[in-house]
Amino acid sequence: MQRLLFGFIPIYGLLIAGAIGLGVYLCSRQEKELGLPKDISVDFALWVIPAAIIGARLYYVAFQWEMYAAHPLHILYLWEGGLAIYGGVIGGAVGAFAFSRIRKISFGALADMVAPALILGQAIGRWGNFFNQEAYGRLMENPVLQFFPLAVQIGGQWHMATFFYESLWDFIGFWILWLNRKRVKHRGDLFLGYLCWYGLGRAFIEGLRTDSLMLGSFRVSQVLSILLCAGAGIALCIHSIPRSRKIKGIR
């Protein structure tokens, strides 16, 4: 159910807009640190944000097509919810790659610039699920545990507040990335760290939800989380090996 502020402003959309604004600000803070051109974050946002929103919506619609088949115009009703984070990441990555090729800028540097902003935006955006009463988990049957933020009441029943679990996990991930952003030695590693952290938490939390996007008997986001977490973890381990040892091993 859509919640409105002052009776006409969709809270879900307001949170997304706020997260985007904060994200652009954080990216601008890192331009000099990453050796990127001044104010590149604004141009970058104009490419990546639309691509991310389109990707997030198409990803969700693709796995929930039965909801939109009869009313395809509702695909445009973004304020009602229905944005898949991984679709946004994929769409945003495509936009970022195209931007990096056109502007001849390191894709890894751009990915590192956006990583903290991305996970913070996800942490804020999850509260849109709270106001829309979505992205909750299984029934919380133990009365002792029926309180917020451990559980949330939906339709008179208490459910696991999985939106809050993920929001908290993302906030912690943001601070880890932000505080360690200057210690990263290889371009792209901060983004790989994001994939590891977010993927680890999402793989567990997704298993608690009741509204997962499914492909047969598999929870799509859970499988994707495991694959991305494992792949990013392997890449980070490879990058941590001293260059001389890598060359020796190849010989």
Side-chain angles (χ1 to χ4, degrees):
M1 179 176 64
Q2 184 183 176
R3 297 294 180 88
L4 303 176
L5 184 65
F6 304 127
F8 63 93
I9 302 176
I11 296 178
Y12 188 89
L14 189 63
L15 286 170
I16 292 176
I20 289 173
L22 182 57
V24 173
Y25 168 73
L26 290 176
C27 287
S28 69
R29 289 276 307 274
Q30 300 176 81
E31 292 172 348
K32 187 176 180 179
E33 297 173 2
L34 294 167
L36 294 169
K38 182 176 175 56
D39 296 329
I40 195 68
S41 56
V42 177
D43 294 339
F44 179 70
L46 293 176
W47 277 74
V48 172
I49 292 172
I53 293 176
I54 292 172
R57 188 57 165 176
L58 291 180
Y59 186 101
Y60 182 83
V61 170
F63 291 103
Q64 294 280 49
W65 178 244
E66 65 279 3
M67 292 175 53
Y68 298 95
H71 304 284
L73 189 61
H74 285 203
I75 295 175
L76 303 177
Y77 296 178
L78 301 180
W79 55 88
E80 293 184 350
L83 295 175
I85 286 175
Y86 276 130
V89 173
I90 294 170
V94 172
F97 182 77
F99 182 81
S100 71
R101 296 302 92 190
I102 292 173
R103 296 292 295 268
K104 295 180 171 53
I105 297 173
S106 166
F107 175 75
L110 292 173
D112 284 348
M113 179 181 71
V114 80
L118 176 58
I119 198 167
L120 180 60
Q122 291 172 201
I124 296 171
R126 276 302 176 199
W127 283 90
N129 298 139
F130 169 72
F131 290 106
N132 278 8
Q133 295 189 334
E134 58 190 6
Y136 50 85
R138 304 170 187 169
L139 283 173
M140 189 71 82
E141 298 178 350
N142 188 339
V144 177
L145 304 178
Q146 293 177 348
F147 63 91
F148 187 80
L150 193 59
V152 63
Q153 198 169 37
I154 305 291
Q157 294 182 308
W158 287 92
H159 293 260
M160 294 180 179
T162 47
F163 82 90
F164 176 78
Y165 307 162
E166 187 172 323
S167 179
L168 180 60
W169 181 262
D170 291 346
F171 270 121
I172 295 172
F174 163 72
W175 284 112
I176 292 174
L177 294 179
W178 186 255
L179 295 176
N180 288 280
R181 69 190 190 281
K182 296 181 181 180
R183 300 178 185 178
V184 174
K185 297 180 180 179
H186 297 87
R187 287 289 179 257
D189 277 5
L190 196 67
F191 187 76
L192 290 175
Y194 154 77
L195 291 178
C196 276
W197 181 265
Y198 180 71
L200 181 63
R202 183 66 183 270
F204 175 75
I205 296 170
E206 190 68 25
L208 304 176
R209 288 176 57 170
T210 59
D211 61 345
S212 296
L213 300 178
M214 305 295 293
L215 184 61
S217 58
F218 294 100
R219 297 173 185 262
V220 178
S221 295
Q222 188 174 48
V223 173
L224 190 55
S225 293
I226 294 171
L227 293 175
L228 289 175
C229 182
I234 292 171
L236 286 172
C237 288
I238 293 174
H239 289 175
S240 68
I241 301 173
R243 186 174 180 80
S244 59
R245 289 181 59 186
K246 287 191 215 178
I247 296 173
K248 183 178 180 181
I250 292 174
R251 293 178 181 174

